[in-house]
Amino acid sequence: QVQLVESGGGLVQPGGSLSLSCAASGRILRLNAMGWYRQTPGNQRELVASITGSGSTNYADSVKGRFTISGDNTKNAVILQMNSLKPEETALYYCWMEAIPAGARQAYDYWGQGTQVTVSS
C-alpha cells in the first residue's frame, strides 16, 4: 500500500516563502511522475508543478519563476519551494505521484491528504 505524507504548510506573509515536502511510503517499483496540485473551495484542483522520473518539469504559468519543484526518486520524495507567495495562492496543496507499486503491472495515481497554505498579513 502506497501512501503519501505531506508536510510544510502553514501561514506566511505575502512575499514570503514556504517549502512543501512529500514522501511516499510502501514499496514502489517505478515512479513515473510527481507533482503538486492546489484547490480552493468551490474550484477545481489545479496543477501547480510536476516533475517526471527523468527530471522534466512543468509549471503553471502563474508560478513560473517563483516556484521550484525537485524530486528524489531514491527516496520517493518531492519538494516544492514556493517564493514570493501571493494571497490568492492560499489553498489546500496536494501531493501527487504516478507510480507502479511493487507487484503491479500498471501505474496508479496516489494523493496526499493535503496541506493548508495560507498567505496573509
Side-chain angles (χ1 to χ4, degrees), residues 33-52:
M34 302 180 282
W36 291 90
Y37 285 71
R38 62 189 178 194
Q39 187 172 23
T40 54
N43 293 311
Q44 289 187 334
R45 196 171 294 188
E46 64 171 1
L47 175 68
V48 177
S50 64
I51 183 169
T52 67

Side-chain angles (χ1 to χ4, degrees), residues 26-108:
R27 295 179 59 203
I28 293 177
L29 193 62
R30 188 174 75 192
L31 199 54
N32 291 338
M34 302 180 282
W36 291 90
Y37 285 71
R38 62 189 178 194
Q39 187 172 23
T40 54
N43 293 311
Q44 289 187 334
R45 196 171 294 188
E46 64 171 1
L47 175 68
V48 177
S50 64
I51 183 169
T52 67
S54 59
S56 297
T57 58
N58 181 44
Y59 294 93
D61 288 342
S62 62
V63 307
K64 286 179 180 177
R66 298 186 297 117
F67 290 14
T68 302
I69 189 169
S70 59
D72 186 339
N73 288 1
T74 63
K75 297 181 180 179
N76 296 329
V78 60
I79 294 173
L80 182 68
Q81 176 65 39
M82 304 184 293
N83 299 326
S84 302
L85 281 159
K86 305 174 182 179
E88 56 265 36
E89 294 179 310
T90 294
L92 196 58
Y93 284 69
Y94 292 92
C95 175
W96 160 78
M97 294 188 187
E98 180 187 290
I100 302 175
R105 296 188 176 187
Q106 67 179 78
Y108 296 90

